[in-house]
Amino acid sequence: MDSVQPSLSRRGFAGIAAGIGAAGLLGSAAARPADAAAAAAASGSLARVETIRLGKVTVTRVVEYSGPVGLTSRQFFPGSPEELWRENKSWLSPDFWKPGTDMVNSALQTWVLRSEGRTILIDTGAGNDKFRPYAKQWQYMDTGFLRRLSRAGVRPQDVDVVVNTHLHNDHVGWNTRREGRDWVPTFPNATYLIPKVEFDFWNPEAPVRPKYWQGNQNVWEDSVLPVREAGLVKLWEGSYTLDSSLRLDLAAGHTPGSSVIRLESGNDRAVFIGDLLHTPLQLEHPEFNSCFEEDEKQALATRRRELEWAADHKALVLPAHLPGHGAAEVERSGGNFKIKNWAGFSRI
């Protein structure tokens, strides 16, 4: 189905959607979110569904949740010094970090791509009704995610492809929905693309126990196995071409099978990087890992490699969990990077 909203360039949509000039949202190399008062005026609700265009591909942001996730800055990013957060308070607050409580904000969002006549979902959030005894933030959620997806012009039966960048609990939840006492595929006509190494890693019969095995309790049984048993899962290795604009590549570190979706269409470039970063501070300081990395050394190397690619190709970087504008462009700055522009989505 076609999007229910028009789509403009990566920089154009948010200004129209919020009724303010795009220049107020996207500045030059020093671009940062505005202060709290401006944030209150510009911020959209979670129910807002917006679309930007990248070449021939449209990208719609559908948000499941945005807010604190029960982790302070040093709990979430153990290697990050307290003073670094304070030094960047002016732009991290209020969208990404609350200085008073030291709590980090995160978003759960699905990127809906329309490309070459197909509807593609990147990651499916936490889902409703899931029992998560060691991840209580996502336990027994009851959100209007499917209604928001409908406002984006997408019914479950319309989805052609679901991409799970990895198999953490907050990326696969809407793979399934409860029907009576059973878990059934939410998107019955879709092919669910999962990296084979990731699938094998989380298989309960695997010889190696993941670091995050407790937090992922029940995920295999309620969100992965049902789509596999329905014959909807396609396991891929190395890289996988979706179409002439989109390609999946392995990007290990966060998990062994973490993957990114690379978009190259016309003059536009983008990379959907999943959980390679969880805060925009990592865009400028990629040397800090989150507490959820399976292989910390590899996570550092992969994050830097992908940011180098993004900077060199002037690509939009779209992580899974950023609130605010949700995505940004970066450029090289000395031996690191700096945020050049924010994406054209309204702030949440």
Side-chain angles (χ1 to χ4, degrees):
M1 297 177 65
D2 292 333
S3 173
V4 294
Q5 295 192 18
S7 57
L8 299 179
S9 73
R10 68 173 72 181
R11 298 179 180 86
F13 188 82
I16 294 172
I20 58 178
L25 298 175
L26 295 160
S28 61
R32 291 290 189 273
D35 60 22
S43 178
S45 70
L46 298 187
R48 179 174 289 169
V49 174
E50 296 177 345
T51 299
I52 61 173
R53 180 175 293 277
L54 299 172
K56 295 181 180 179
V57 182
T58 62
V59 180
T60 304
R61 183 189 199 187
V62 180
V63 181
E64 182 181 21
Y65 171 84
S66 184
V69 290
L71 293 171
T72 66
S73 60
R74 254 83 64 222
Q75 287 173 331
F76 209 146
F77 308 97
S80 63
E82 180 181 356
E83 56 269 23
L84 182 66
W85 292 84
R86 290 201 306 264
E87 289 169 3
N88 291 279
K89 172 183 174 181
S90 64
W91 66 275
L92 288 174
S93 174
D95 290 0
F96 311 108
W97 176 58
K98 303 286 183 167
T101 62
D102 194 32
M103 288 292 171
V104 177
N105 287 342
S106 288
L108 296 189
Q109 52 209 353
T110 293
W111 301 109
V112 180
L113 277 55
R114 290 181 173 86
S115 180
E116 298 188 8
R118 295 196 298 174
T119 299
I120 301 164
L121 307 187
I122 300 178
D123 289 326
T124 64
N128 282 358
D129 306 314
K130 303 294 171 80
F131 179 40
R132 301 288 182 254
Y134 297 99
K136 293 187 182 297
Q137 183 73 37
W138 315 130
Q139 179 157 269
Y140 296 135
M141 289 183 69
D142 182 14
T143 73
F145 175 79
L146 290 182
R147 291 193 298 274
R148 294 169 200 159
L149 198 62
S150 178
R151 280 197 289 272
V154 180
R155 301 171 301 175
Q157 62 267 35
D158 298 327
V159 176
D160 299 293
V161 178
V162 173
V163 175
N164 292 141
T165 59
H166 60 294
L167 298 183
H168 275 165
N169 52 31
D170 53 344
H171 290 256
V172 300
W174 278 107
N175 280 4
T176 60
R177 60 179 177 81
R178 183 181 289 281
E179 188 173 274
R181 300 182 64 175
D182 298 322
W183 294 104
V184 301
T186 305
F187 310 103
N189 299 320
T191 297
Y192 288 70
L193 294 174
I194 300 174
K196 184 179 186 301
V197 64
E198 185 76 359
F199 184 88
D200 293 343
F201 180 69
W202 290 104
N203 189 326
E205 298 179 0
V208 178
R209 173 174 283 187
K211 291 181 182 178
Y212 192 57
W213 68 274
Q214 277 192 320
N216 239 35
Q217 184 170 318
N218 300 324
V219 169
W220 181 266
E221 293 79 6
D222 63 33
S223 298
V224 179
L225 197 57
V227 291
R228 173 69 163 179
E229 292 179 338
L232 301 180
V233 170
K234 182 177 180 60
L235 303 179
W236 59 275
E237 300 181 73
S239 64
Y240 182 87
T241 299
L242 283 157
D243 59 31
S244 63
S245 300
L246 301 168
R247 186 182 76 246
L248 279 160
D249 291 322
L250 288 178
H254 180 64
T255 65
S258 287
S259 57
V260 300
I261 298 87
R262 225 173 291 283
L263 183 155
E264 301 184 59
S265 181
N267 294 322
D268 284 326
R269 303 289 181 267
V271 58
F272 298 83
I273 62 170
D275 280 6
L276 291 188
L277 60 87
H278 291 79
T279 172
L281 194 61
Q282 289 174 292
L283 289 169
E284 301 196 345
H285 293 276
E287 66 270 24
F288 299 121
N289 276 324
S290 80
C291 61
F292 297 109
E293 320 294 1
E294 288 288 336
D295 185 326
E296 294 187 5
K297 184 176 180 180
Q298 192 170 32
L300 290 170
T302 300
R303 185 180 310 112
R304 178 167 289 278
R305 182 193 73 204
E306 292 301 329
L307 290 179
E308 287 173 349
W309 184 89
D312 293 344
H313 290 83
K314 299 180 180 179
L316 192 63
V317 179
L318 298 102
H321 295 305
L322 290 195
H325 292 300
E329 293 179 52
V330 295
E331 60 185 2
R332 290 182 182 267
S333 178
N336 256 345
F337 310 91
K338 64 180 179 180
I339 296 169
K340 180 181 179 182
N341 284 313
W342 296 98
F345 298 104
S346 296
R347 292 166 64 193
I348 61 168

PDB file of all heavy atoms in Angstrom, residues 194-223:
ATOM      1  N   ILE A 194      16.871 -13.448   8.743  1.00  0.00           N
ATOM      2  CA  ILE A 194      17.672 -13.542   9.966  1.00  0.00           C
ATOM      3  C   ILE A 194      19.061 -14.060   9.592  1.00  0.00           C
ATOM      4  O   ILE A 194      19.170 -15.059   8.865  1.00  0.00           O
ATOM      5  CB  ILE A 194      17.022 -14.506  10.984  1.00  0.00           C
ATOM      6  CG1 ILE A 194      15.623 -14.010  11.375  1.00  0.00           C
ATOM      7  CG2 ILE A 194      17.898 -14.656  12.220  1.00  0.00           C
ATOM      8  CD1 ILE A 194      14.858 -14.978  12.276  1.00  0.00           C
ATOM      9  N   PRO A 195      20.126 -13.417  10.059  1.00  0.00           N
ATOM     10  CA  PRO A 195      21.469 -13.962   9.787  1.00  0.00           C
ATOM     11  C   PRO A 195      21.609 -15.351  10.380  1.00  0.00           C
ATOM     12  O   PRO A 195      21.233 -15.587  11.534  1.00  0.00           O
ATOM     13  CB  PRO A 195      22.399 -12.957  10.464  1.00  0.00           C
ATOM     14  CG  PRO A 195      21.584 -11.712  10.638  1.00  0.00           C
ATOM     15  CD  PRO A 195      20.178 -12.168  10.841  1.00  0.00           C
ATOM     16  N   LYS A 196      22.152 -16.280   9.618  1.00  0.00           N
ATOM     17  CA  LYS A 196      22.271 -17.662  10.096  1.00  0.00           C
ATOM     18  C   LYS A 196      23.112 -17.751  11.361  1.00  0.00           C
ATOM     19  O   LYS A 196      22.775 -18.493  12.297  1.00  0.00           O
ATOM     20  CB  LYS A 196      22.869 -18.556   9.012  1.00  0.00           C
ATOM     21  CG  LYS A 196      22.934 -20.032   9.406  1.00  0.00           C
ATOM     22  CD  LYS A 196      23.503 -20.898   8.306  1.00  0.00           C
ATOM     23  CE  LYS A 196      23.424 -22.378   8.675  1.00  0.00           C
ATOM     24  NZ  LYS A 196      24.150 -22.686   9.923  1.00  0.00           N
ATOM     25  N   VAL A 197      24.221 -16.998  11.408  1.00  0.00           N
ATOM     26  CA  VAL A 197      25.081 -17.058  12.582  1.00  0.00           C
ATOM     27  C   VAL A 197      24.336 -16.563  13.817  1.00  0.00           C
ATOM     28  O   VAL A 197      24.541 -17.055  14.936  1.00  0.00           O
ATOM     29  CB  VAL A 197      26.394 -16.267  12.350  1.00  0.00           C
ATOM     30  CG1 VAL A 197      26.130 -14.786  12.161  1.00  0.00           C
ATOM     31  CG2 VAL A 197      27.365 -16.493  13.500  1.00  0.00           C
ATOM     32  N   GLU A 198      23.440 -15.594  13.645  1.00  0.00           N
ATOM     33  CA  GLU A 198      22.641 -15.081  14.761  1.00  0.00           C
ATOM     34  C   GLU A 198      21.615 -16.123  15.211  1.00  0.00           C
ATOM     35  O   GLU A 198      21.428 -16.354  16.411  1.00  0.00           O
ATOM     36  CB  GLU A 198      21.938 -13.787  14.330  1.00  0.00           C
ATOM     37  CG  GLU A 198      21.174 -13.074  15.435  1.00  0.00           C
ATOM     38  CD  GLU A 198      22.053 -12.317  16.404  1.00  0.00           C
ATOM     39  OE1 GLU A 198      23.300 -12.346  16.254  1.00  0.00           O
ATOM     40  OE2 GLU A 198      21.505 -11.701  17.339  1.00  0.00           O
ATOM     41  N   PHE A 199      20.959 -16.726  14.251  1.00  0.00           N
ATOM     42  CA  PHE A 199      19.977 -17.772  14.547  1.00  0.00           C
ATOM     43  C   PHE A 199      20.642 -18.914  15.303  1.00  0.00           C
ATOM     44  O   PHE A 199      20.120 -19.387  16.323  1.00  0.00           O
ATOM     45  CB  PHE A 199      19.372 -18.274  13.234  1.00  0.00           C
ATOM     46  CG  PHE A 199      18.270 -19.281  13.397  1.00  0.00           C
ATOM     47  CD1 PHE A 199      16.958 -18.880  13.555  1.00  0.00           C
ATOM     48  CD2 PHE A 199      18.555 -20.640  13.375  1.00  0.00           C
ATOM     49  CE1 PHE A 199      15.929 -19.816  13.703  1.00  0.00           C
ATOM     50  CE2 PHE A 199      17.547 -21.580  13.519  1.00  0.00           C
ATOM     51  CZ  PHE A 199      16.232 -21.165  13.678  1.00  0.00           C
ATOM     52  N   ASP A 200      21.792 -19.340  14.852  1.00  0.00           N
ATOM     53  CA  ASP A 200      22.498 -20.436  15.504  1.00  0.00           C
ATOM     54  C   ASP A 200      22.981 -20.049  16.899  1.00  0.00           C
ATOM     55  O   ASP A 200      22.982 -20.876  17.822  1.00  0.00           O
ATOM     56  CB  ASP A 200      23.690 -20.880  14.655  1.00  0.00           C
ATOM     57  CG  ASP A 200      23.264 -21.530  13.345  1.00  0.00           C
ATOM     58  OD1 ASP A 200      22.089 -21.936  13.224  1.00  0.00           O
ATOM     59  OD2 ASP A 200      24.114 -21.615  12.428  1.00  0.00           O
ATOM     60  N   PHE A 201      23.394 -18.803  17.069  1.00  0.00           N
ATOM     61  CA  PHE A 201      23.914 -18.336  18.352  1.00  0.00           C
ATOM     62  C   PHE A 201      22.851 -18.388  19.443  1.00  0.00           C
ATOM     63  O   PHE A 201      23.139 -18.762  20.588  1.00  0.00           O
ATOM     64  CB  PHE A 201      24.446 -16.911  18.191  1.00  0.00           C
ATOM     65  CG  PHE A 201      25.011 -16.289  19.437  1.00  0.00           C
ATOM     66  CD1 PHE A 201      26.193 -16.749  19.990  1.00  0.00           C
ATOM     67  CD2 PHE A 201      24.361 -15.225  20.055  1.00  0.00           C
ATOM     68  CE1 PHE A 201      26.726 -16.174  21.134  1.00  0.00           C
ATOM     69  CE2 PHE A 201      24.881 -14.638  21.202  1.00  0.00           C
ATOM     70  CZ  PHE A 201      26.065 -15.111  21.742  1.00  0.00           C
ATOM     71  N   TRP A 202      21.605 -18.005  19.105  1.00  0.00           N
ATOM     72  CA  TRP A 202      20.544 -17.945  20.111  1.00  0.00           C
ATOM     73  C   TRP A 202      19.757 -19.244  20.238  1.00  0.00           C
ATOM     74  O   TRP A 202      18.917 -19.367  21.133  1.00  0.00           O
ATOM     75  CB  TRP A 202      19.600 -16.783  19.804  1.00  0.00           C
ATOM     76  CG  TRP A 202      20.243 -15.463  20.028  1.00  0.00           C
ATOM     77  CD1 TRP A 202      20.719 -14.604  19.077  1.00  0.00           C
ATOM     78  CD2 TRP A 202      20.512 -14.839  21.277  1.00  0.00           C
ATOM     79  NE1 TRP A 202      21.269 -13.490  19.655  1.00  0.00           N
ATOM     80  CE2 TRP A 202      21.148 -13.604  21.012  1.00  0.00           C
ATOM     81  CE3 TRP A 202      20.276 -15.200  22.603  1.00  0.00           C
ATOM     82  CZ2 TRP A 202      21.551 -12.738  22.021  1.00  0.00           C
ATOM     83  CZ3 TRP A 202      20.675 -14.335  23.616  1.00  0.00           C
ATOM     84  CH2 TRP A 202      21.307 -13.122  23.309  1.00  0.00           C
ATOM     85  N   ASN A 203      20.017 -20.184  19.381  1.00  0.00           N
ATOM     86  CA  ASN A 203      19.365 -21.484  19.482  1.00  0.00           C
ATOM     87  C   ASN A 203      19.694 -22.104  20.850  1.00  0.00           C
ATOM     88  O   ASN A 203      20.872 -22.207  21.213  1.00  0.00           O
ATOM     89  CB  ASN A 203      19.863 -22.400  18.359  1.00  0.00           C
ATOM     90  CG  ASN A 203      19.080 -23.691  18.255  1.00  0.00           C
ATOM     91  OD1 ASN A 203      18.616 -24.239  19.247  1.00  0.00           O
ATOM     92  ND2 ASN A 203      18.951 -24.197  17.042  1.00  0.00           N
ATOM     93  N   PRO A 204      18.700 -22.472  21.627  1.00  0.00           N
ATOM     94  CA  PRO A 204      18.981 -23.032  22.964  1.00  0.00           C
ATOM     95  C   PRO A 204      19.890 -24.258  22.928  1.00  0.00           C
ATOM     96  O   PRO A 204      20.512 -24.594  23.948  1.00  0.00           O
ATOM     97  CB  PRO A 204      17.587 -23.409  23.474  1.00  0.00           C
ATOM     98  CG  PRO A 204      16.655 -22.515  22.743  1.00  0.00           C
ATOM     99  CD  PRO A 204      17.255 -22.335  21.373  1.00  0.00           C
ATOM    100  N   GLU A 205      19.988 -24.920  21.780  1.00  0.00           N
ATOM    101  CA  GLU A 205      20.854 -26.085  21.675  1.00  0.00           C
ATOM    102  C   GLU A 205      22.297 -25.721  21.339  1.00  0.00           C
ATOM    103  O   GLU A 205      23.152 -26.607  21.235  1.00  0.00           O
ATOM    104  CB  GLU A 205      20.301 -27.038  20.614  1.00  0.00           C
ATOM    105  CG  GLU A 205      18.912 -27.580  20.959  1.00  0.00           C
ATOM    106  CD  GLU A 205      18.374 -28.492  19.883  1.00  0.00           C
ATOM    107  OE1 GLU A 205      19.075 -28.697  18.863  1.00  0.00           O
ATOM    108  OE2 GLU A 205      17.253 -29.009  20.052  1.00  0.00           O
ATOM    109  N   ALA A 206      22.578 -24.424  21.165  1.00  0.00           N
ATOM    110  CA  ALA A 206      23.939 -23.996  20.836  1.00  0.00           C
ATOM    111  C   ALA A 206      24.880 -24.289  22.004  1.00  0.00           C
ATOM    112  O   ALA A 206      24.479 -24.234  23.177  1.00  0.00           O
ATOM    113  CB  ALA A 206      23.956 -22.504  20.504  1.00  0.00           C
ATOM    114  N   PRO A 207      26.155 -24.555  21.696  1.00  0.00           N
ATOM    115  CA  PRO A 207      27.098 -24.920  22.770  1.00  0.00           C
ATOM    116  C   PRO A 207      27.560 -23.740  23.616  1.00  0.00           C
ATOM    117  O   PRO A 207      28.077 -23.930  24.714  1.00  0.00           O
ATOM    118  CB  PRO A 207      28.277 -25.523  21.993  1.00  0.00           C
ATOM    119  CG  PRO A 207      28.215 -24.885  20.639  1.00  0.00           C
ATOM    120  CD  PRO A 207      26.752 -24.698  20.351  1.00  0.00           C
ATOM    121  N   VAL A 208      27.390 -22.509  23.119  1.00  0.00           N
ATOM    122  CA  VAL A 208      27.872 -21.324  23.830  1.00  0.00           C
ATOM    123  C   VAL A 208      26.693 -20.545  24.397  1.00  0.00           C
ATOM    124  O   VAL A 208      25.711 -20.285  23.695  1.00  0.00           O
ATOM    125  CB  VAL A 208      28.698 -20.412  22.887  1.00  0.00           C
ATOM    126  CG1 VAL A 208      29.151 -19.147  23.628  1.00  0.00           C
ATOM    127  CG2 VAL A 208      29.894 -21.168  22.333  1.00  0.00           C
ATOM    128  N   ARG A 209      26.771 -20.190  25.666  1.00  0.00           N
ATOM    129  CA  ARG A 209      25.710 -19.395  26.293  1.00  0.00           C
ATOM    130  C   ARG A 209      26.004 -17.912  26.100  1.00  0.00           C
ATOM    131  O   ARG A 209      27.060 -17.420  26.499  1.00  0.00           O
ATOM    132  CB  ARG A 209      25.609 -19.697  27.785  1.00  0.00           C
ATOM    133  CG  ARG A 209      24.631 -18.788  28.522  1.00  0.00           C
ATOM    134  CD  ARG A 209      24.437 -19.192  29.960  1.00  0.00           C
ATOM    135  NE  ARG A 209      23.557 -20.349  30.066  1.00  0.00           N
ATOM    136  CZ  ARG A 209      23.107 -20.831  31.230  1.00  0.00           C
ATOM    137  NH1 ARG A 209      23.464 -20.253  32.362  1.00  0.00           N
ATOM    138  NH2 ARG A 209      22.323 -21.880  31.245  1.00  0.00           N
ATOM    139  N   PRO A 210      25.073 -17.139  25.490  1.00  0.00           N
ATOM    140  CA  PRO A 210      25.289 -15.696  25.315  1.00  0.00           C
ATOM    141  C   PRO A 210      25.401 -14.975  26.656  1.00  0.00           C
ATOM    142  O   PRO A 210      24.841 -15.407  27.660  1.00  0.00           O
ATOM    143  CB  PRO A 210      24.030 -15.251  24.555  1.00  0.00           C
ATOM    144  CG  PRO A 210      23.473 -16.490  23.936  1.00  0.00           C
ATOM    145  CD  PRO A 210      23.821 -17.597  24.883  1.00  0.00           C
ATOM    146  N   LYS A 211      26.110 -13.858  26.658  1.00  0.00           N
ATOM    147  CA  LYS A 211      26.194 -13.030  27.862  1.00  0.00           C
ATOM    148  C   LYS A 211      24.812 -12.555  28.301  1.00  0.00           C
ATOM    149  O   LYS A 211      24.517 -12.434  29.482  1.00  0.00           O
ATOM    150  CB  LYS A 211      27.086 -11.808  27.599  1.00  0.00           C
ATOM    151  CG  LYS A 211      28.555 -12.115  27.421  1.00  0.00           C
ATOM    152  CD  LYS A 211      29.323 -10.823  27.198  1.00  0.00           C
ATOM    153  CE  LYS A 211      30.805 -11.070  26.965  1.00  0.00           C
ATOM    154  NZ  LYS A 211      31.537  -9.799  26.705  1.00  0.00           N
ATOM    155  N   TYR A 212      23.965 -12.249  27.312  1.00  0.00           N
ATOM    156  CA  TYR A 212      22.660 -11.642  27.582  1.00  0.00           C
ATOM    157  C   TYR A 212      21.552 -12.700  27.611  1.00  0.00           C
ATOM    158  O   TYR A 212      20.404 -12.397  27.352  1.00  0.00           O
ATOM    159  CB  TYR A 212      22.380 -10.590  26.498  1.00  0.00           C
ATOM    160  CG  TYR A 212      21.205  -9.683  26.779  1.00  0.00           C
ATOM    161  CD1 TYR A 212      21.162  -8.921  27.942  1.00  0.00           C
ATOM    162  CD2 TYR A 212      20.155  -9.568  25.873  1.00  0.00           C
ATOM    163  CE1 TYR A 212      20.092  -8.076  28.198  1.00  0.00           C
ATOM    164  CE2 TYR A 212      19.086  -8.726  26.115  1.00  0.00           C
ATOM    165  CZ  TYR A 212      19.062  -7.982  27.275  1.00  0.00           C
ATOM    166  OH  TYR A 212      17.993  -7.149  27.530  1.00  0.00           O
ATOM    167  N   TRP A 213      21.885 -13.936  27.969  1.00  0.00           N
ATOM    168  CA  TRP A 213      20.899 -15.005  27.861  1.00  0.00           C
ATOM    169  C   TRP A 213      19.711 -14.798  28.784  1.00  0.00           C
ATOM    170  O   TRP A 213      18.567 -15.095  28.423  1.00  0.00           O
ATOM    171  CB  TRP A 213      21.562 -16.355  28.131  1.00  0.00           C
ATOM    172  CG  TRP A 213      22.016 -16.564  29.542  1.00  0.00           C
ATOM    173  CD1 TRP A 213      23.203 -16.190  30.083  1.00  0.00           C
ATOM    174  CD2 TRP A 213      21.288 -17.213  30.587  1.00  0.00           C
ATOM    175  NE1 TRP A 213      23.275 -16.554  31.404  1.00  0.00           N
ATOM    176  CE2 TRP A 213      22.111 -17.187  31.736  1.00  0.00           C
ATOM    177  CE3 TRP A 213      20.025 -17.816  30.666  1.00  0.00           C
ATOM    178  CZ2 TRP A 213      21.700 -17.726  32.956  1.00  0.00           C
ATOM    179  CZ3 TRP A 213      19.621 -18.363  31.871  1.00  0.00           C
ATOM    180  CH2 TRP A 213      20.455 -18.319  33.002  1.00  0.00           C
ATOM    181  N   GLN A 214      19.929 -14.236  29.985  1.00  0.00           N
ATOM    182  CA  GLN A 214      18.798 -14.027  30.886  1.00  0.00           C
ATOM    183  C   GLN A 214      17.843 -12.978  30.331  1.00  0.00           C
ATOM    184  O   GLN A 214      16.625 -13.170  30.324  1.00  0.00           O
ATOM    185  CB  GLN A 214      19.280 -13.611  32.269  1.00  0.00           C
ATOM    186  CG  GLN A 214      19.703 -14.769  33.156  1.00  0.00           C
ATOM    187  CD  GLN A 214      19.888 -14.340  34.592  1.00  0.00           C
ATOM    188  OE1 GLN A 214      20.410 -13.254  34.879  1.00  0.00           O
ATOM    189  NE2 GLN A 214      19.478 -15.182  35.524  1.00  0.00           N
ATOM    190  N   GLY A 215      18.390 -11.843  29.863  1.00  0.00           N
ATOM    191  CA  GLY A 215      17.543 -10.789  29.329  1.00  0.00           C
ATOM    192  C   GLY A 215      16.732 -11.236  28.128  1.00  0.00           C
ATOM    193  O   GLY A 215      15.680 -10.672  27.829  1.00  0.00           O
ATOM    194  N   ASN A 216      17.231 -12.260  27.438  1.00  0.00           N
ATOM    195  CA  ASN A 216      16.541 -12.744  26.243  1.00  0.00           C
ATOM    196  C   ASN A 216      15.675 -13.979  26.530  1.00  0.00           C
ATOM    197  O   ASN A 216      15.250 -14.649  25.591  1.00  0.00           O
ATOM    198  CB  ASN A 216      17.556 -13.088  25.150  1.00  0.00           C
ATOM    199  CG  ASN A 216      17.320 -12.294  23.882  1.00  0.00           C
ATOM    200  OD1 ASN A 216      16.919 -11.133  23.935  1.00  0.00           O
ATOM    201  ND2 ASN A 216      17.545 -12.901  22.741  1.00  0.00           N
ATOM    202  N   GLN A 217      15.409 -14.225  27.790  1.00  0.00           N
ATOM    203  CA  GLN A 217      14.616 -15.405  28.133  1.00  0.00           C
ATOM    204  C   GLN A 217      13.258 -15.365  27.452  1.00  0.00           C
ATOM    205  O   GLN A 217      12.590 -14.325  27.434  1.00  0.00           O
ATOM    206  CB  GLN A 217      14.436 -15.493  29.654  1.00  0.00           C
ATOM    207  CG  GLN A 217      13.709 -16.750  30.105  1.00  0.00           C
ATOM    208  CD  GLN A 217      13.765 -16.938  31.604  1.00  0.00           C
ATOM    209  OE1 GLN A 217      14.793 -16.722  32.231  1.00  0.00           O
ATOM    210  NE2 GLN A 217      12.650 -17.341  32.193  1.00  0.00           N
ATOM    211  N   ASN A 218      12.842 -16.478  26.889  1.00  0.00           N
ATOM    212  CA  ASN A 218      11.554 -16.704  26.215  1.00  0.00           C
ATOM    213  C   ASN A 218      11.495 -16.162  24.797  1.00  0.00           C
ATOM    214  O   ASN A 218      10.524 -16.433  24.076  1.00  0.00           O
ATOM    215  CB  ASN A 218      10.375 -16.113  27.011  1.00  0.00           C
ATOM    216  CG  ASN A 218      10.250 -16.713  28.393  1.00  0.00           C
ATOM    217  OD1 ASN A 218      10.510 -17.895  28.582  1.00  0.00           O
ATOM    218  ND2 ASN A 218       9.874 -15.899  29.359  1.00  0.00           N
ATOM    219  N   VAL A 219      12.494 -15.396  24.378  1.00  0.00           N
ATOM    220  CA  VAL A 219      12.448 -14.773  23.051  1.00  0.00           C
ATOM    221  C   VAL A 219      12.449 -15.828  21.949  1.00  0.00           C
ATOM    222  O   VAL A 219      11.692 -15.729  20.970  1.00  0.00           O
ATOM    223  CB  VAL A 219      13.613 -13.776  22.871  1.00  0.00           C
ATOM    224  CG1 VAL A 219      13.738 -13.330  21.424  1.00  0.00           C
ATOM    225  CG2 VAL A 219      13.416 -12.574  23.785  1.00  0.00           C
ATOM    226  N   TRP A 220      13.292 -16.823  22.094  1.00  0.00           N
ATOM    227  CA  TRP A 220      13.351 -17.877  21.075  1.00  0.00           C
ATOM    228  C   TRP A 220      11.989 -18.547  20.914  1.00  0.00           C
ATOM    229  O   TRP A 220      11.503 -18.748  19.805  1.00  0.00           O
ATOM    230  CB  TRP A 220      14.413 -18.901  21.471  1.00  0.00           C
ATOM    231  CG  TRP A 220      14.580 -20.018  20.500  1.00  0.00           C
ATOM    232  CD1 TRP A 220      13.968 -21.246  20.532  1.00  0.00           C
ATOM    233  CD2 TRP A 220      15.414 -20.022  19.337  1.00  0.00           C
ATOM    234  NE1 TRP A 220      14.375 -22.017  19.470  1.00  0.00           N
ATOM    235  CE2 TRP A 220      15.264 -21.291  18.718  1.00  0.00           C
ATOM    236  CE3 TRP A 220      16.278 -19.097  18.768  1.00  0.00           C
ATOM    237  CZ2 TRP A 220      15.939 -21.646  17.555  1.00  0.00           C
ATOM    238  CZ3 TRP A 220      16.969 -19.448  17.610  1.00  0.00           C
ATOM    239  CH2 TRP A 220      16.793 -20.700  17.011  1.00  0.00           C
ATOM    240  N   GLU A 221      11.360 -18.863  22.067  1.00  0.00           N
ATOM    241  CA  GLU A 221      10.115 -19.604  22.049  1.00  0.00           C
ATOM    242  C   GLU A 221       8.935 -18.779  21.546  1.00  0.00           C
ATOM    243  O   GLU A 221       8.064 -19.317  20.842  1.00  0.00           O
ATOM    244  CB  GLU A 221       9.799 -20.148  23.448  1.00  0.00           C
ATOM    245  CG  GLU A 221      10.770 -21.217  23.927  1.00  0.00           C
ATOM    246  CD  GLU A 221      12.090 -20.657  24.457  1.00  0.00           C
ATOM    247  OE1 GLU A 221      12.215 -19.410  24.568  1.00  0.00           O
ATOM    248  OE2 GLU A 221      13.004 -21.456  24.743  1.00  0.00           O
ATOM    249  N   ASP A 222       8.870 -17.481  21.891  1.00  0.00           N
ATOM    250  CA  ASP A 222       7.658 -16.729  21.527  1.00  0.00           C
ATOM    251  C   ASP A 222       7.824 -15.816  20.317  1.00  0.00           C
ATOM    252  O   ASP A 222       6.831 -15.354  19.756  1.00  0.00           O
ATOM    253  CB  ASP A 222       7.109 -15.936  22.727  1.00  0.00           C
ATOM    254  CG  ASP A 222       8.051 -14.851  23.257  1.00  0.00           C
ATOM    255  OD1 ASP A 222       8.796 -14.243  22.478  1.00  0.00           O
ATOM    256  OD2 ASP A 222       8.026 -14.599  24.479  1.00  0.00           O
ATOM    257  N   SER A 223       9.068 -15.537  19.888  1.00  0.00           N
ATOM    258  CA  SER A 223       9.238 -14.560  18.811  1.00  0.00           C
ATOM    259  C   SER A 223      10.082 -15.040  17.638  1.00  0.00           C
ATOM    260  O   SER A 223      10.077 -14.394  16.593  1.00  0.00           O
ATOM    261  CB  SER A 223       9.876 -13.276  19.377  1.00  0.00           C
ATOM    262  OG  SER A 223       9.032 -12.682  20.348  1.00  0.00           O
TER     263      SER A 223
END
